[in-house]
Amino acid sequence: MTAVTTQVGSARRGFLGDVTARSVLRRGAIGGLIVVFIAAIGMFETFDSRKVIDPILSLGYAAIVWVPILFGYLVSKRQELEGVEVPPPGAYNIVSGGAVGAIVGFVVGLFLLVADAVHLRDIFLNISPNMRETLGFGQEPLMGAMLLVLAGAALAALGGALHLLPDRLRGPLRTALIALVLFNFAELVIGNILRELGAVGVDRFIYRPSRGLSIPAAVIVAVGAVLAKIVLAGRVRAVREKVVGQSQSAKRRTALIGGVLLVAIGAFMPSLFGTYLNELLSNVGLFILLGLGLNVVVGYAGLLDLGYVAFFAVGAYTTAVVTSPLSPSFTPEMAFFEALPWVLGMAAVAGLVIGTPVIRMRGDYLAIVTLGFGEIARIALQSDWLANLFGAAQGIIRISPLGPGQGAGIRVSYGYVLAAVGIVLLVIGFLRWRDAQRDVAPLDGVPSYTSRSSVLLMVAGALAAVLGMLFPTFLTWTINGINPPAMFRIVLVFAVLAGFVTWRLQESRLGRAWVAVREDEQVAQTMGINIVTTKLLAFVIGAMLASLGGALFAVKLGTIFPHSFQIVQSIIILVIVIVGGMGSLRGVAIGAVVLIGVLGGPTQPGLLREFAEFKLLLYGVILIWMMLQRPEGLWPSARRARELHAEEMMQDVWLKDADGEAEEAKP
C-alpha cells in the first residue's frame, strides 16, 4: 500500500492563495453581523465601562476585537487530512485575513451609518448616541465607518499572520493571552487576597483604580506566564504521566489526598474574602450540590430530567414547614438536623412519584414530561389550593430560627456528629467483618479485610457513638444564615459528603447498572439488570441530593417563595453538568465555578458583574460551542470521553494498522 499525497489548489494560487472569494465574503459578513449583534444588544456599551488593560483596552472593545482576529485566522486555516499536503503559509494568509477584516469593518461601518441616519431605538433600545460615538472612535459617522474598515483589515491581517508564526511561538502567545484574561477576570479575588495579606501596594501596582490591569503589570503577567509555561511544562507532564501510570489503589489514594487538600483550602478561603465573594462561594457550593444530584440522573443513568428544580423545592419547603414557627398549619418547630430526615424522606417520595410514571420514557419524551412536572410543582406551591400548607404566593418566613429574636441558622452539636460518625464506622466495621468471615479468595484490585481490623473499627465506632450520645453539646458550631463565610463552610461540608456518596456509587454495582442502562436499555435488561429499580433509584438519589441543596437554600434566605423555583434553575443546573462533563464529579465542580462563579447564577451576579444582563445569552453560546467542539465537557470522566470519541479512536487504530501494513509491504 503506497501513501498518495495531493497538493490542494496549487493551480489556483494568487493573492488569496487557495482561499476562495466566496469564503472571504461569507466569513467577513458573518463576522460583521456578530459585531453588529454585540453592539445592538448593548453588550459593547455595557462592557466598555470595564477596563482590561488601563488605559489602552476596555472590555467593550475586547468583546469585538476578537471577531476580526479570529475570522482572519480561520479563513486561511486548513484542516490537515491524511495524504493531503497543506500549502505552506505565506503572504496569502495576511491578504485573505485582511480582506475578511475589511468586510467585517464595512458591515459594522454600514450599521453605524444606518443607525445614524435612521432612528432604530424603537427596535433596538441599546443603540444609543454614546454607543455610536464609542463604536466610531469618537469621529463623525462616515469617518468612523472608514476607520472601522481599516481597523478591521489590520486586526484580521494580524489574525492571518498568526499562521506565519512557528508553533513554538504561538503556544506562548496563547498562554500570555489566557494569563491576561484570567488576571483581569479574577481581579476581585486577587485584590481581596492581596488586601487581606496586607499587600495593598502590590494590589495598586497590578490594578489601576478602574480595576483594569496596569500596563507594567500586564507585561509582567504575560512574560511571567510564558516563563512559567516553559519551566513547568515538562514537570507537569512528568507528574501527569506518573499519576496515569499508577495502580488503581494508588490513584484512589492520590485522589483522596488531593480532595482533602482542596477541602482544607476551601475551608480556609472565606477568611481571605469579603462578604460579596463569600456569598458567591455559597452560591457556587449550592449549585455544586445540585449538580451532583442531577449528574446521577443525567450523567450516570442517562435520564434527561428538566424538572429537577421540583426536588430542590421539595427540600426547601419541607425544611420551611417543619422548622418555621410561622408555618401556615403545621408547626413542629424542629431544629435543622431534626428536620433533615424528613427532608430526605419527602424527597425520596417525590422521586418515586415523579419517576414512576415516566419509567418507560426516554430521550425527548422524558425531558418534556419532567419539564411539566417541574412547572406543576411551582404552580402547586403558588396556588391557593395549598395555601394552608405552603403559604401560596406569600411563602413561608422565619425558617429554622436560632432562637427568639434571632435569624435563621443551623446549630451543629459535635456530640451528635461524633455519634453519627461512630454509627457509620460501626456499620462499615460489621460489613467488613462479615466479608472477612467468608472463605473466598481475594480478587485483583479488591481490598480484603481481616477480622481483627474490622473488630477494632466496630469498637472505635461504638465508643464514638456512646461518647457522642453522652456528651452531645460538648462543642457546638452556630451558623447564621446571613453569615456568608459560615454558610459557605456548611455548604462545603454537605457538598463533600454528596461528592463522596456519588463517587462511591459510581463504582458500585448500582453505578455500573446505571451506565449499562444509559448505553443500551434493552441489552442491560437482557443481562439481568432490573430497569425499573435502577431508574427509580437514580431519581430517588438525585432527588435526595437536590433536597439537601433546597434545605440549605431555605436556611440561607430564611424565607422562601414559589418564584424562587423557576424552570430556568433546572436548565442552568443541566448546563453546569453538560459544560463540566456529564458523569464527572470534577466536571460538575468546574462547571459550577465557571458558570455560577464567573458569570453568575439565575438571580445572583458572578465575578464579572458586567455580564449579569447577558449571562443567559452566554450560557447558550457556551452550550452550543461545547456541543460542537467539546461534547464531553471541560473535565470529563475518562469513560465518557472514550464513549464520545469511540469512532475517532477506531479510525486512528485503523490508520495505524494501515500504516503498519504499508511498512511491512515495503521491500
Side-chain angles (χ1 to χ4, degrees), residues 311 345-358 536-537 539-540 543:
F311 304 130
M346 290 303 297
V349 171
L352 287 173
V353 169
I354 294 180
T356 303
V358 302
L536 283 179
L537 280 174
F539 271 109
V540 168

Side-chain angles (χ1 to χ4, degrees), residues 236-259:
V236 171
R237 193 181 305 114
V239 171
R240 188 190 305 154
E241 291 173 355
K242 185 178 179 181
V243 172
V244 171
Q246 287 179 332
S247 62
Q248 286 297 325
S249 58
K251 283 182 182 177
R252 185 174 299 177
R253 193 162 50 248
T254 304
L256 279 175
I257 293 172

Side-chain angles (χ1 to χ4, degrees), residues 481-531:
I482 60 173
N483 184 355
M487 276 308 299
F488 169 69
R489 290 191 175 104
I490 192 69
V491 170
L492 180 66
V493 169
F494 276 87
V496 169
L497 289 175
F500 181 75
V501 169
T502 52
W503 176 54
R504 296 298 295 168
L505 283 173
Q506 185 180 7
E507 299 301 330
S508 69
R509 184 186 183 90
L510 178 60
R512 292 193 292 274
W514 281 334
V515 173
V517 171
R518 183 188 69 199
E519 293 308 308
D520 196 315
E521 195 172 315
Q522 292 180 345
V523 173
Q525 194 168 18
T526 306
M527 296 297 292
I529 293 174
N530 189 325
I531 302 296

Side-chain angles (χ1 to χ4, degrees), residues 354-389:
I354 294 180
T356 303
V358 302
I359 207 70
R360 298 292 177 191
M361 295 182 181
R362 283 180 289 180
D364 301 342
Y365 301 101
L366 177 62
I368 293 169
V369 173
T370 51
L371 181 71
F373 274 121
E375 275 301 277
I376 289 171
R378 184 184 63 80
I379 293 170
L381 292 172
Q382 199 170 3
S383 69
D384 293 334
W385 178 53
L386 294 174
N388 289 334
L389 191 57

